[in-house]
Each structure stands twice: as structure tokens, then as C-alpha cells.
Amino acid sequence: MRAFDPDRLIELVQVIVRNPMRAFLSSLGVGWGLFMIIITVGSARGLENGVRADMGNDVANSMFMWAQSTSKPYKGFQRGRSLELNLADVAWLEENTQHLDLVVPEIQLGGYRGSNNVTRAAHTGAFDVHGVDENYPQVNPFRITRGRFLNPGDLNAQRKVCVIGSRVETVLFDKGEDPLGEMIQIQGVLFRVVGVYKPKGTGEDAENEAESIYIPFTTFGKAFQTGDRVEWLSVLIRPNVDAAEAEQATKDLLLLRLNAHPDDKRAIGGWSMAEEFQQVESVFGAMRLVSLLFGALALLAGVIGITNIMLISIKERTKELGIRRSLGATPQRIIQQILGETLFLTILAGLCGLILGVGLLELLDGFIEDGGDAGVFRHPEIDLKTVLNVLIILLGMALLAGILPTLRALSIRPVVALRSEG
Amino acid sequence: MLSLRSIEKSYPLAGGQLPVLKGIDLIIEQGEMVAIMGSSGSGKSTLLNVLGLLDNFDAGSYHLDDVDMSELSERQAARYRSRFLGFVFQSFNLIAFKSALENVALPLFYQKIPRRERQKRALAMLERMGIADRAHHLPSELSGGQKQRVAMARALITTPRVILADEPTGALDSVTSNEVMDVLREVNSTGITVIIVTHEADIAARCDRTIRLKDGRIIEDGNSSEVVEPTAHGISPIS
């Protein structure tokens, strides 16, 4: 392989140095286009990161289901029959499902956002109290800051233990007081605190989440006389399984299990975080695509500018090209030269736009990290894959920009080129 | 050896063709120094362009050392120009933004000679032309004579078989013209064929052979002393 000839680079630089203002103005379009791509894609990512941070406490493939009243008569049962789930149904579902990885039974004291009387000495608070099993954090992850979460032993022995949220700790305990091992009273029943957790996400949902208390499902049934009744199921959909398909299949199984009409749309309620995530994902996917498209259009405008400038340049340099051909420049050499100049100019401008764009995103990120108010915006960034894709687009457009000028340069016969002025 | 047989060349005009070369038969042996003379429009520059593979022809055949030039692709023609031919033009045709050294080294760039070697040989050639001290000057900083020396250095740097000079002294004063002709004679003495297009009789007189063209045809071809007649002022062309 032949070593790189520095004169090739020198020739490219000479072309730019000869007319720096023209080179700058023609490059500006491409630089601006790439800058816009970086900024728009990075901003879309910042928005996505912000939304994802707000959804941080949720698991992308989780789904929630509960039994409701039937809307169709079935096998002798009238419509309006109230359905209920229990632990046996949970076990049956786990055994028969092909779409789910995990089924967690859940029950809540006082209903959704109900106010419960939780006390500790002189401290009182109204918190959500959930009966769950040891697998619950897989569906609703949070950070255990002290102690531990519930374990199978707690479930089996129906221990009166609880894991409290950070907000519960703040309300029920004095500052500096260690809640681990301390007793709190839930609806008059004493529970020992074995762990404290902090929600992973941010925003209102996370604040609400910090106001919950988790106790063993089995203990819940005994302490609050709910037996093995399950209010809703928190489930994890298997990887690579479509969320809508999993939801429908699970509903079908539950309808079968509960002797409800297979076409009863209202008998089983459900809410799929996976579908929410898929929708959010598709919105952000569309945002990324649109920002990339607009950036690419801006880039295309810049590339057209460079093509135009190169065509003018070829016209002005016709004689020079004639001289080069008289000195032995083959058509391939002319192609290399014109394409090289176009690529050099385009890529140089593109890289300037890229560096400026990434620099601005970094500045913005630093501002947000330092506590600047950017709303839902968080960590605007551009990943390496996108940068590589953008560079490939840039390279393709640079080649495109070079085609017309190159064809024009090749179409001029040496003798005609030598006769031209300039 | 350059051999042209029945070369014809026309230029398209609105509504027809303008014949410029009408059946040129010509053989130039290696090492000859030939002047091509003729009035304006006689076809002498077109003939030089055909000989230099800068322009194609419509009919006839052109052989350079028994190789048929009419069959060459543009790429092959470029290679022949690079290896066998050197050009000297009236208007010098130096690349304005390149220094004298860079201009001289350019043909070697197209021969893919390494940069260091190019620079070394270009500097040696400028020394031979007596203008090494102007190596790093741009053409705009050189006199007409210096520019033509740079152009000749560039034509000679590839050690071509043939030098094709189109009015090489046309833009120079008589002293500089003589210096340029001295260089061309010296070049010719090394065995390189030199073909000069000129309308100056005293330039033709310094060549061994003169070919006179009129209306695209060779009307005279012989020893310069026979074709070019001396006048009271020296030598002048036969009209």
C-alpha cells in the first residue's frame, strides 16, 4: 500500500486558503445543518431522558390486572356478577401462562390512595399500606436505603414486619432516629420496621411512592381479615413478547379461570406499563426521526450550496484543470481532486458543526447538572451510534455534492480547458 | 518517432464544420528540432495539440513509436502525456497559487513519484534553469523570462521524449527569447525531440527543420535554412 502523499492534503488546503471567505460561506450551510441535527436529536434525547426519569420507578414490561364485574351473562351467571381473585388464581395463572415471567399478588389497605391511620407514639400519618410478596421489587423497583425488603420467611411465617418509604420515615420518626427495629401501628396492629426504601424515579409519582408501606401479603390477610383475596396482580411480561398480546392472553386466562364470558371486555381490568412505554418509545422514535429528517434537510441545503460553489469553482479553474491534464493528470486524478476538495470542505464544515453541537449540549447538560431549571429536560446527549450515522449521512451527501462538479470537470476537454481564460 | 498520416480535423460551427487540418502527412524523427510555422488560422496550434494528445482528430492515423494514438483512452492518453511529452506554452500556464517549485514538481506528482524525490528533482531542474533562488516564489512574483524557465523546467522534469512548445517566446523580449531558445537547443542536444510552433522566423531559423502550414495543409517542409529566408533585419518568414 502506498504511503499517504502530503501534497494531496496541501492541495486541498490551498484550495480553501485561496478563497477563505467563499470556503467559509459555502461550508456554513453544512456546518449549520449538522449543528441542527446534533442539537435537535440531542434535545429530543434530553426530553426522552427527562420523561424516562419521571417514569424511573416503573418497569417497562410490567402490567397490572384486576377483577371487576361481568358485563355478559355466562353459564347460568347473570351479568353484573362481581369477580374476585385469590392466591389460588395467582398460582393457576403462573402455571398456565406462556406470556408472563412473574405474577405478584397485591392488596391495599383502604383502597387506592386511601387514608390509613398509621401511628408511632405521637406521630401519625396517612399512608398507603400494601400487602405484597418478596418479588414485588421486580415489578416496582426502589432503592433500599436501610435494612432489607420482605423475604419468603416473612411471608411463610406471616411476620408482622414492614418496609417503609422515605416519606413515611420522615413523618413517623424524628430526624436522626433509626427506624430499623422500631414498631409502628397500622390500623391498630403493630409492625416492626425492617427496611426503608427510596423510589427510583422523580416527580409526583415518586413522591407518592415514598408514602407507602409494604407488609407481607400473608400477614395482611390475617391482620386485616382479607384472607387470600387479591385486589390486583402486578405482572412482568416475558422479554420479546408483545405487550398487547400478553395482556389479551392473560385476560383470556383469567376469564376462563373465573368462569366469565370469553368475550367479556369489562370483567377484567388492566393497565399495561409496557404499552405505555411502547407508546412513549414510539413518540420519541418519531421525534428522533423527525429531528434527524429536518437536520438532514438542512444538511442537504448546505450540500446543495457546496455543489453550487464547487461548480462555480470548476468554471473558474477550467484552465488550471487543463494545465493539470496536459501535465499527465488522468481522469481518475481529476475525480480524486474534485471529490477530495468537496469531501474535505463538507467534512471539515460538518465536523465543526458536530463539535459545536456536542459542545452546546455539554454546556446545557452542565447547566442542568448544576441545578439549572430545564423543566422535564434532562441529560441532553447524542450517542456514538447517532454520531456515526450522521457522519455516514454527511459522507454520502458530500459524495453527492461532488458528483456534479466532478462530471463537469471531466467533461471539459484538455485543449478547451487550456484555451479558457483565467 | 512521430508519424502522422492523412490527419484531418474540423471544428463544429453553426450550420457546418470548419476544416482545420486537411490531410496532414508528417514524420518527425527522434531528436529533431522542428519549427511549425504558418499564419494565424493555418492550423499549426491544432497540429501541436493533436501531436500532444490534447485534442483528438477526425480521420487519419497518429503513431508515437509505432503505437497507434487514435486508439488510446483518455486515461492512456494522460499517461502518454505524462511519460513521453512535455509542454511549453506562450502564456506559461503556471498554476497561480503554487510556487515555482510546486509547479515544476507537479508532473512528478501525477507520476506518483514520492514527495521528497519530487522536490529534489524539481529543485535540481530549477537550478539547471538558473532560477533556483526563485523556487519558493509564486508565478506572480516572477518575470516573464523566469516564468518561461519555470514552465520549461516543468516540461523537462519528467525527461520526456518530445517537447511541444506553442509560441514559447511569444510573450518575451528578444533577449529572453534567445535565452529560451538556447535552453531548447540544449535540451534538443540531449536527444529530446523539440517541436516549436512559432510565427517568428528567427525562432524557426534556430531549428533544424521547418514545416510551413497554410489552410490546414503542409505547403513546405525542409531544412530551416531553405524554408526560412534571411532578410535585411535577419531572418523573416516567407509570406
Side-chain angles (χ1 to χ4, degrees), chain A residues 175-213:
Chain A
K175 199 171 183 184
E177 199 177 356
D178 186 3
L180 292 185
E182 294 296 320
M183 304 298 286
I184 62 170
Q185 215 170 42
I186 302 171
Q187 293 246 2
V189 182
L190 282 169
F191 286 82
R192 185 179 303 280
V193 178
V194 295
V196 180
Y197 72 88
K198 208 170 180 180
K200 274 191 173 172
T202 57
E204 197 182 337
D205 283 351
E207 281 172 24
N208 291 337
E209 185 62 38
E211 293 184 356
S212 291
I213 298 170

Side-chain angles (χ1 to χ4, degrees), chain B residues 164-196:
Chain B
L164 299 152
D166 192 359
E167 305 275 11
T169 59
L172 304 175
D173 59 56
S174 58
V175 175
T176 315
S177 294
N178 272 326
E179 287 173 4
V180 166
M181 285 308 293
D182 287 344
V183 172
L184 289 174
R185 276 246 64 118
E186 184 202 324
V187 166
N188 178 243
S189 69
T190 63
I192 295 175
T193 306
V194 176
I195 303 171
I196 303 171

Side-chain angles (χ1 to χ4, degrees), chain A residues 2 5-8 10-11 14-15 18 319-320 323-333 337 413-415 418-419, chain B residues 9 11 49 54-56 74-75 78-79 81-82 87 89 91 93-95 97-98 102 106-107 109-110 112 115 118 154:
Chain A
R2 253 167 36 87
D5 191 330
D7 272 6
R8 285 174 187 246
I10 291 168
E11 289 232 339
Q14 279 175 336
V15 169
R18 274 168 70 197
K319 183 147 194 156
E320 179 204 320
I323 296 168
R324 287 177 185 276
R325 291 179 81 168
S326 75
L327 298 179
T330 58
Q332 285 78 3
R333 282 292 188 133
Q337 186 183 347
R413 285 188 302 140
V415 68
L418 281 168
R419 274 195 214 119
Chain B
K9 169 79 183 169
Y11 288 121
N49 289 333
L54 293 173
D55 206 353
N56 48 19
E74 180 47 41
R75 183 181 180 158
R79 294 226 164 126
R81 284 197 292 269
S82 174
F87 295 89
F89 301 97
S91 55
N93 282 348
L94 300 177
I95 294 178
F97 59 87
K98 287 187 175 291
E102 287 171 331
L106 196 54
F109 174 69
Y110 293 125
K112 300 177 181 174
R115 186 169 196 262
R118 288 201 299 266
R154 186 178 65 183

